[in-house]
Amino acid sequence: RASPVTTAALEYGTDFPTNISKPPSVKIHINVIFSFLCRTTKRHLTFYDGTNSCLPGVCHVSMAEPFCAKTREVLLDVAKKLGIKCHSKGTVITVEGPRFSSRAESLMFRSCGADVINMTTVPEVILAKEAGICYASIAMATDYDCWKEHEETVMCVCEFFLIQ
């Protein structure tokens, strides 16, 4: 049985594992993240910290373009073909969580140039870049707390993972 998720990798004949879906009659805006800000303090952010004997020393990897340009291009193209409103130059700020940001924090993050706040892009993007793995990130807004004050704020989001 076919998955309800449109698989860009199959459409393009690539081995990029990119999934993007569009539920019927739902207006979606996505952001294919271009850069990141890290506000985490409790995460392992590098493979090169001296604890792995296979990776001695320090390695300074450029994060000027942390996300894979080719993977981002595929995601942007598929979103366009599906008619999904897509923003291509977003900056995400990753925070510890599991709580959402306060309105004051969101306003501060926005003033620092963040378009999206999440809890999951760092350290994944950093570690993928260090390992030479193509990585891209898609974001969708679930809470407009600091710039769309007439909208109801999110009270709780529970994440469930379905393994097929």
Side-chain angles (χ1 to χ4, degrees), residues 92-160:
V92 65
I93 187 162
T94 301
V95 298
E96 287 295 347
R99 69 171 177 82
F100 283 101
S101 302
S102 70
R103 184 162 282 138
E105 288 170 323
S106 295
L107 288 166
M108 179 188 69
F109 296 153
R110 189 172 183 202
S111 73
C112 292
D115 301 296
V116 176
I117 304 167
N118 76 13
M119 300 170 213
T120 58
T121 302
V122 175
E124 294 88 339
V125 65
I126 297 169
L127 298 175
K129 185 77 170 188
E130 283 187 353
I133 298 170
C134 288
Y135 182 85
S137 182
I138 299 173
M140 287 182 12
T142 60
D143 188 9
Y144 299 101
D145 65 352
C146 79
W147 64 275
K148 213 172 181 182
E149 293 184 14
H150 65 279
E151 293 282 330
E152 186 175 334
T153 62
V154 171
M155 299 307 291
C156 178
V157 172
C158 297
E159 294 182 20
F160 298 94

Side-chain angles (χ1 to χ4, degrees), residues 44 46-52 55 57-58:
H44 191 90
T46 183
F47 292 121
Y48 298 98
D49 62 359
T51 61
N52 187 336
L55 301 170
V58 175

Side-chain angles (χ1 to χ4, degrees), residues 37-79:
L37 298 166
C38 178
R39 295 291 298 156
T40 66
T41 58
K42 300 175 184 173
R43 302 177 188 196
H44 191 90
L45 297 174
T46 183
F47 292 121
Y48 298 98
D49 62 359
T51 61
N52 187 336
S53 61
C54 296
L55 301 170
V58 175
C59 182
H60 300 284
V61 177
S62 173
M63 290 294 147
E65 293 185 22
F67 298 96
C68 175
K70 189 171 182 180
T71 304
R72 289 182 75 256
E73 185 179 312
V74 169
L75 293 171
L76 291 165
D77 190 41
V78 170

Side-chain angles (χ1 to χ4, degrees), residues 2-42:
S3 166
V5 175
T6 301
T7 307
L10 295 177
E11 282 185 35
Y12 285 85
T14 69
D15 46 40
F16 291 106
T18 55
N19 292 326
I20 185 170
S21 64
K22 180 182 179 185
S25 72
V26 175
K27 290 189 178 190
I28 297 175
H29 282 247
I30 65 170
N31 198 322
V32 179
I33 302 300
F34 181 74
S35 193
F36 72 92
L37 298 166
C38 178
R39 295 291 298 156
T40 66
T41 58
K42 300 175 184 173

